[in-house]
Amino acid sequence: MTSYYSTNHGVPETDLAAALLEGQAADKGLYMPRPIPRLSSDLLAHARDLPYPELAARVLEPFAEGVFSADVLRGICEDAYDFDVPLEKATERVFIMRLDRGPTASFKDFAARFMGRALGRLVRERGRELLILTATSGDTGSAIAHAFHGVPAIRVVVLFPRQEVSDRQRRQMTTVGDNVTVISIEGKFDDCQALVKRAFADPDLAHMSLSSANSINIGRLLPQSVYYVYAASRLADVDAGEKIVFSVPSGNFGDMMGGLLASRMGLPVSRFVVATNSNDEVPRFLETGAYSKIVPSRVCISNAMNVGHPSNLARVVDLYGGRMDELGNLVKPPDMDAVRKDVFAVSVDDDATRRTIADAYKRHGVLLEPHGAVGFAGLTRYLEAHPDERRRTAVTLETAHPAKFPDEVRPATGVDPELPLSLKGLESKAERFLSMEGTYEEFKTYVLKEHAA
Ligand SMILES: *Cc1c(COP(=O)(O)O)cnc(C)c1O
């Protein structure tokens, strides 16, 4: 049975239920599965024929043994994954996996929707209630709001910085309602984050069941391994061990961790190209073996990847036998040669990102937004540097819908991408949100009054 240990090794191993409910381990480490279950040969042989939800349930089943039965897991996955996962051909061997067809049009829906249902189930079984506090700079807040909307016994409070969120991003959160409360804060993302962190550490709120549902929760990581298995099964002979290349546009490295897990499960992968924007702390780390954060992070057009210290890096280090603490100190270096063998890291600046959006459309007829373009550019560089790899099938991930970034896509391609159905009509829906100055006292009073059990 798979159990879950903390990358800081300061707490006992536990099961998936506890890891999901806790989020971060009490020693501030991140939960990791042990052992990592292998994909069965039966599953590899049949994966190609399984619809996405069914495949997800089969892949996740061994991770959830003893916590969710196969039937429960199938129900969760069927409910969560009711949208397409297109694999679009760009060239003879290069495909774009569009992870942008969920309700908030970003790949975060894959993780958030699984987590919402899984956590909802656990809370109900235990007769508990849960209050989720989350700070957002844009996309996470709406993915969480939609994923937890209507889940009984769970309430969600999303804090967003008034000036830093686009109109559309705000409407994606403020039109949800019901068990989702949205608060506009007079400040920056960091101020919202600080309020949430202080609430978690506040002894006066310790009697409440608080959770952050943020990207370090293992419940958001595991479901991100599934689409790698999905793509490989559709495009390669995984049963015979045919290896493919994946390119992953990365910020906090949760998406990429999903891929690394899939390969540890036995999915045949030649290399992961990990493409960052100008926040190049990880490409530098791989190059030099020395790690330093970028503070403050650099502002790039692929804004969901403006991360100067990836919250999942400790997991990557752990997977390769090293140890990184919660502050980003490398306590024990990982096996760098092994990391480099699996991962090719590359940084793509805004100029190259814009050129890639234009080129990909002109030469291959595919429409990319900035995040996907970083992935595509990273893959192109990898194939240039490794001509042998061009014979392989390669898949690059598109993590958001191009219609979310019209100001970049339009000038580069001349195309005004049509809004997906899920984002249409937001302008005519009623918005509801609270406004606060951003003092902790005001926020705390609200939490105690509105949400005390
Ligand atoms: C969050 C996000 C990313 C980065 O994913 P990580 O798992 O943090 O590396 C990339 N693209 C988009 C559109 C995102 O919202």
Side-chain angles (χ1 to χ4, degrees), residues 106-108 139 249-255 304-305 371 399-400:
S106 97
F107 90 102
K108 291 194 169 64
D139 286 342
S250 293
N252 271 316
F253 286 77
D255 204 357
M305 309 197 306
H371 305 81
T399 49

Side-chain angles (χ1 to χ4, degrees), residues 51-105:
Y52 193 94
E54 175 89 21
L55 180 66
R58 293 279 300 274
V59 170
L60 296 173
E61 199 179 310
F63 286 100
E65 209 189 324
V67 175
F68 297 122
S69 70
D71 278 352
V72 165
L73 210 49
R74 188 167 305 117
I76 289 175
C77 292
E78 269 167 10
D79 196 38
Y81 303 123
D82 58 353
F83 48 87
D84 283 347
V85 187
L87 289 158
E88 186 179 331
K89 194 167 183 155
T91 72
E92 198 46 39
R93 296 226 161 265
V94 174
F95 292 79
I96 296 169
M97 176 155 57
R98 296 207 177 264
L99 302 174
D100 58 357
R101 302 300 153 100
T104 70

Side-chain angles (χ1 to χ4, degrees), residues 120-140:
R121 174 114 201 156
L122 290 177
V123 167
R124 264 200 316 286
E125 280 172 2
R126 284 162 176 69
R128 285 176 47 178
E129 294 203 335
L130 199 62
L131 174 61
I132 290 175
L133 302 179
T134 197
T136 186
S137 54
D139 286 342
T140 302

